[in-house]
């Protein structure tokens, strides 16, 4: 199960290019359940996601991933609905706002979108459990929590911009 929260970005972290990052291209074959293909660097992945009911501020999904070949990715890409979502994803280890070290294994995945979504910046954090997600204190560079705003889901962006 995937438990995550999603935020707009108030301010980009300094030295952004010093963080590990990858170019991502993804598209959607279906949205209920979500059937997504993704090219991330040299990896090709088919993902099946299904939203789970929750009483939390976080998004809960059942998620399964399968490796694809580049050839199968291209075949499926031609069948995608909407438009492909293009973005650069940065992986940033999070530090506590009090400055006392790292959160326990929390990583921010900062997405900077390109092409028709140019200017959009979102950051997601995945949590080990609901309690951690609900008690999370966001770093200063995070903006508004948009976890429950469907307009910021990648599948919505593929169809609606």
């Amino acid at each position: 199960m995937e438990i995550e929260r999603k935020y707009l970005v108030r301010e980009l972290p300094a030295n952004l290019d010093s963080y590990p990052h990858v170019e991502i291209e993804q598209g959607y074959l279906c949205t209920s359940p979500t059937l997504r293909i993704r090219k991330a660097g040299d990896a090709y992945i088919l993902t099946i996601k299904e939203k789970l009911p929750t009483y939390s501020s976080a998004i809960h999904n059942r998620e399964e991933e399968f490796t694809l070949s580049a050839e199968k990715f291209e075949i499926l890409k031609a069948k995608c609905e909407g438009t492909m979502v293009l973005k650069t994803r940065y992986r940033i280890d999070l530090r506590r706002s009090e400055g006392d070290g790292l959160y326990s294994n929390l990583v921010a995945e900062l997405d900077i979108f390109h092409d028709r979504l140019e200017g959009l910046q979102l950051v997601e954090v995945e949590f080990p459990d609901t309690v951690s997600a609900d008690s999370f204190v966001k770093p200063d560079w995070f903006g508004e929590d948009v976890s429950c705003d469907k307009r910021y889901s990648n599948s919505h962006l593929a169809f609606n911009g």
Side-chain angles (χ1 to χ4, degrees), residues 6-147:
K6 184 181 291 193
Y7 300 86
L8 295 174
V9 176
R10 188 178 64 75
E11 171 184 335
L12 290 174
N15 303 316
L16 191 57
D17 285 332
S18 69
Y19 295 102
H21 55 281
V22 65
E23 298 302 318
I24 293 177
E25 176 183 14
Q26 66 188 40
Y28 295 84
L29 298 160
C30 177
T31 58
S32 186
T34 299
L35 188 56
R36 176 187 75 204
I37 60 168
R38 174 183 281 171
K39 177 183 183 219
D42 295 330
Y44 299 89
I45 303 160
L46 170 68
T47 303
I48 301 171
K49 278 188 174 191
E50 182 179 13
K51 270 209 186 320
L52 299 173
T54 180
Y55 298 103
S56 167
S57 60
I59 302 164
H60 290 67
N61 291 311
R62 181 176 301 120
E63 181 178 277
E64 293 182 69
E65 293 187 335
F66 306 92
T67 302
L68 290 174
S69 66
E71 179 183 38
K72 294 253 191 309
F73 175 85
E74 291 300 327
I75 290 168
L76 291 173
K77 180 179 172 180
K79 298 177 184 311
C80 283
E81 299 177 8
T83 60
M84 297 300 285
V85 173
L86 307 174
K87 59 189 179 181
T88 304
R89 171 165 288 171
Y90 295 84
R91 291 184 50 84
I92 302 168
D93 288 332
L94 291 179
R95 301 201 174 272
R96 295 185 190 276
S97 55
E98 310 87 59
D100 62 346
L102 292 174
Y103 283 97
S104 53
N105 299 322
L106 293 183
V107 174
E109 292 184 333
L110 169 62
D111 289 339
I112 298 180
F113 292 82
H114 307 295
D115 197 34
R116 65 187 189 80
L117 297 171
E118 192 74 37
L120 179 60
Q121 301 169 348
L122 294 171
V123 60
E124 295 178 0
V125 179
E126 198 167 316
F127 300 92
D129 53 59
T130 301
V131 172
S132 300
D134 288 341
S135 63
F136 178 67
V137 177
K138 66 182 182 177
D140 291 341
W141 61 276
F142 283 33
E144 177 186 350
D145 185 333
V146 294
S147 301

